Coordinates of all heavy atoms in Angstrom, one line a residue:
Q1372 N -17.5 -10.2 -9.2 CA -17.8 -9.3 -8.1 C -17.3 -7.8 -8.4 O -18.0 -6.8 -8.1 CB -17.2 -9.8 -6.8 CG -17.8 -11.0 -6.3 CD -17.0 -11.6 -5.1 OE1 -15.8 -11.3 -4.9 NE2 -17.7 -12.4 -4.3
A1373 N -16.1 -7.7 -8.9 CA -15.5 -6.4 -9.2 C -16.4 -5.7 -10.3 O -16.6 -4.5 -10.2 CB -14.1 -6.6 -9.7
K1374 N -16.8 -6.4 -11.2 CA -17.7 -5.8 -12.3 C -19.0 -5.4 -11.7 O -19.5 -4.3 -12.1 CB -18.0 -6.9 -13.4 CG -16.7 -7.1 -14.3 CD -17.0 -8.2 -15.3 CE -15.7 -8.6 -16.0 NZ -15.9 -9.7 -17.0
L1375 N -19.6 -6.1 -10.8 CA -20.8 -5.7 -10.1 C -20.7 -4.4 -9.3 O -21.5 -3.5 -9.4 CB -21.3 -6.8 -9.2 CG -21.9 -8.1 -9.9 CD1 -22.1 -9.2 -8.9 CD2 -23.2 -7.7 -10.7
L1376 N -19.6 -4.3 -8.6 CA -19.4 -3.1 -7.8 C -19.1 -1.9 -8.8 O -19.6 -0.8 -8.6 CB -18.2 -3.2 -6.8 CG -17.9 -1.9 -6.0 CD1 -19.1 -1.4 -5.3 CD2 -16.7 -2.1 -5.1
G1377 N -18.3 -2.2 -9.8 CA -18.0 -1.1 -10.8 C -19.4 -0.6 -11.4 O -19.5 0.6 -11.6
R1378 N -20.2 -1.5 -11.7 CA -21.5 -1.1 -12.3 C -22.4 -0.3 -11.3 O -23.0 0.7 -11.7 CB -22.3 -2.4 -12.8 CG -23.5 -2.0 -13.6 CD -24.0 -3.3 -14.3 NE -24.6 -4.2 -13.4 CZ -25.0 -5.4 -13.8 NH1 -24.8 -5.8 -15.0 NH2 -25.4 -6.3 -12.8
R1379 N -22.3 -0.7 -10.1 CA -23.1 0.0 -9.0 C -22.5 1.4 -8.9 O -23.3 2.4 -8.9 CB -23.0 -0.7 -7.7 CG -23.4 0.2 -6.5 CD -23.2 -0.5 -5.2 NE -23.5 0.4 -4.1 CZ -23.4 0.2 -2.8 NH1 -23.1 -1.1 -2.4 NH2 -23.7 1.0 -1.9
L1380 N -21.2 1.6 -8.9 CA -20.6 2.9 -8.7 C -20.9 3.8 -9.9 O -21.0 5.0 -9.8 CB -19.1 2.8 -8.5 CG -18.7 2.1 -7.2 CD1 -17.2 1.8 -7.2 CD2 -19.1 2.9 -6.0
K1381 N -21.0 3.2 -11.1 CA -21.2 3.9 -12.3 C -22.7 4.4 -12.3 O -23.0 5.5 -12.8 CB -21.0 3.1 -13.5 CG -21.0 3.8 -14.9 CD -20.6 2.9 -16.0 CE -20.5 3.7 -17.3 NZ -20.1 2.9 -18.4
E1382 N -23.6 3.6 -11.8 CA -25.0 3.9 -11.9 C -25.5 4.9 -10.8 O -26.4 5.6 -11.0 CB -25.9 2.6 -11.8 CG -25.7 1.8 -13.1 CD -26.4 0.4 -12.9 OE1 -26.8 0.1 -11.8 OE2 -26.4 -0.3 -13.9
E1383 N -24.8 4.9 -9.7 CA -25.1 5.8 -8.6 C -24.8 7.2 -8.9 O -23.7 7.5 -9.4 CB -24.4 5.3 -7.3 CG -25.0 4.1 -6.6 CD -24.3 3.7 -5.3 OE1 -23.1 4.2 -5.1 OE2 -24.9 2.9 -4.6
N1384 N -25.7 8.1 -8.6 CA -25.4 9.5 -8.9 C -24.9 10.3 -7.7 O -24.5 11.5 -7.8 CB -26.7 10.2 -9.4 CG -27.1 9.6 -10.8 OD1 -26.2 9.4 -11.6 ND2 -28.4 9.4 -10.9
E1385 N -24.9 9.6 -6.5 CA -24.6 10.3 -5.3 C -23.2 10.7 -5.2 O -22.8 11.8 -4.6 CB -25.0 9.5 -4.1 CG -25.0 10.2 -2.7 CD -25.5 9.3 -1.6 OE1 -26.0 8.2 -1.9 OE2 -25.4 9.8 -0.5
Y1386 N -22.3 9.9 -5.7 CA -20.8 10.1 -5.6 C -20.2 10.1 -7.0 O -20.6 9.4 -7.9 CB -20.2 9.0 -4.8 CG -20.8 8.8 -3.4 CD1 -21.5 7.6 -3.2 CD2 -20.8 9.7 -2.4 CE1 -22.1 7.4 -2.0 CE2 -21.4 9.5 -1.2 CZ -22.1 8.3 -1.0 OH -22.7 8.1 0.3
R1387 N -19.2 11.0 -7.1 CA -18.3 11.0 -8.3 C -16.9 10.6 -7.9 O -16.4 11.3 -6.9 CB -18.3 12.4 -8.9 CG -17.3 12.6 -10.1 CD -17.2 14.1 -10.4 NE -16.8 14.9 -9.3 CZ -15.6 15.0 -8.8 NH1 -14.6 14.3 -9.4 NH2 -15.3 15.8 -7.8
W1388 N -16.3 9.6 -8.5 CA -15.0 9.2 -8.1 C -13.9 9.6 -9.1 O -14.2 9.6 -10.3 CB -15.0 7.7 -7.9 CG -16.0 7.2 -6.9 CD1 -17.3 6.7 -7.2 CD2 -15.9 7.3 -5.5 NE1 -17.9 6.4 -6.0 CE2 -17.1 6.8 -4.9 CE3 -14.9 7.8 -4.7 CZ2 -17.3 6.8 -3.6 CZ3 -15.1 7.7 -3.3 CH2 -16.3 7.2 -2.8
D1389 N -12.8 10.0 -8.6 CA -11.7 10.6 -9.5 C -10.7 9.6 -9.9 O -10.2 9.6 -11.1 CB -11.0 11.7 -8.8 CG -12.0 12.9 -8.5 OD1 -12.7 13.3 -9.4 OD2 -12.1 13.3 -7.3
F1390 N -10.2 8.7 -9.1 CA -9.2 7.7 -9.4 C -9.2 6.5 -8.4 O -9.9 6.6 -7.4 CB -7.8 8.3 -9.6 CG -7.3 9.0 -8.3 CD1 -6.6 8.3 -7.4 CD2 -7.5 10.4 -8.2 CE1 -6.1 8.9 -6.2 CE2 -7.0 11.0 -7.0 CZ -6.3 10.3 -6.1
V1391 N -8.5 5.5 -8.8 CA -8.4 4.3 -7.9 C -7.0 4.1 -7.5 O -6.0 4.2 -8.3 CB -8.9 3.1 -8.7 CG1 -8.8 1.8 -7.8 CG2 -10.3 3.3 -9.2
L1392 N -6.8 3.8 -6.2 CA -5.5 3.3 -5.6 C -5.6 1.9 -5.1 O -6.7 1.6 -4.5 CB -5.1 4.3 -4.5 CG -4.4 5.6 -4.9 CD1 -4.4 6.5 -3.6 CD2 -3.0 5.4 -5.3
T1393 N -4.6 1.1 -5.2 CA -4.7 -0.2 -4.7 C -3.4 -0.6 -3.9 O -2.4 0.1 -4.0 CB -4.9 -1.3 -5.8 OG1 -3.6 -1.4 -6.5 CG2 -5.9 -0.8 -6.8
S1394 N -3.5 -1.8 -3.3 CA -2.2 -2.4 -2.8 C -1.4 -3.0 -3.9 O -1.9 -3.0 -5.1 CB -2.6 -3.5 -1.7 OG -2.5 -4.8 -2.2
T1395 N -0.3 -3.4 -3.6 CA 0.6 -4.0 -4.6 C 0.3 -5.4 -5.0 O 0.8 -5.9 -6.0 CB 2.1 -3.9 -4.2 OG1 2.2 -4.6 -2.9 CG2 2.6 -2.5 -4.0
L1396 N -0.6 -6.1 -4.2 CA -0.9 -7.5 -4.5 C -1.9 -7.6 -5.7 O -2.8 -6.8 -5.8 CB -1.4 -8.2 -3.3 CG -0.4 -8.3 -2.1 CD1 -1.2 -8.7 -0.8 CD2 0.7 -9.2 -2.5
S1397 N -1.7 -8.6 -6.5 CA -2.4 -8.7 -7.8 C -3.9 -8.8 -7.6 O -4.7 -8.3 -8.4 CB -1.9 -9.9 -8.6 OG -2.1 -11.1 -7.9
R1398 N -4.4 -9.4 -6.5 CA -5.9 -9.5 -6.3 C -6.5 -8.2 -6.1 O -7.6 -7.9 -6.5 CB -6.2 -10.5 -5.2 CG -5.6 -10.1 -3.8 CD -5.8 -11.4 -2.8 NE -5.3 -11.1 -1.5 CZ -4.1 -11.4 -1.1 NH1 -3.2 -11.9 -1.9 NH2 -3.8 -11.2 0.2
A1399 N -5.8 -7.3 -5.5 CA -6.3 -5.9 -5.3 C -6.1 -5.1 -6.6 O -6.9 -4.3 -7.0 CB -5.6 -5.2 -4.1
R1400 N -4.9 -5.3 -7.2 CA -4.6 -4.5 -8.5 C -5.7 -4.9 -9.5 O -6.2 -4.0 -10.2 CB -3.3 -4.9 -9.0 CG -2.1 -4.3 -8.2 CD -2.0 -2.8 -8.4 NE -1.5 -2.4 -9.7 CZ -1.6 -1.2 -10.2 NH1 -2.2 -0.2 -9.5 NH2 -1.2 -0.9 -11.4
E1401 N -6.0 -6.2 -9.7 CA -7.0 -6.5 -10.7 C -8.4 -6.0 -10.4 O -9.1 -5.6 -11.3 CB -7.0 -8.0 -11.0 CG -7.8 -8.4 -12.2 CD -7.8 -9.9 -12.5 OE1 -7.2 -10.7 -11.8 OE2 -8.4 -10.3 -13.5
T1402 N -8.8 -6.1 -9.1 CA -10.1 -5.6 -8.7 C -10.1 -4.1 -9.0 O -11.1 -3.6 -9.6 CB -10.3 -5.8 -7.2 OG1 -10.2 -7.2 -6.9 CG2 -11.6 -5.2 -6.7

Side-chain angles (χ1 to χ4, degrees):
Q1372 291 173 336
K1374 290 175 185 175
L1375 288 170
L1376 178 55
R1378 189 166 68 187
R1379 169 186 171 177
L1380 294 172
K1381 188 173 184 178
E1382 291 171 355
E1383 284 181 344
N1384 295 319
E1385 190 174 356
Y1386 307 113
R1387 174 192 55 80
W1388 301 102
D1389 297 307
F1390 59 88
V1391 180
L1392 278 166
T1393 75
S1394 106
T1395 54
L1396 295 171
S1397 64
R1398 57 191 183 269
R1400 288 289 291 163
E1401 187 176 4
T1402 300

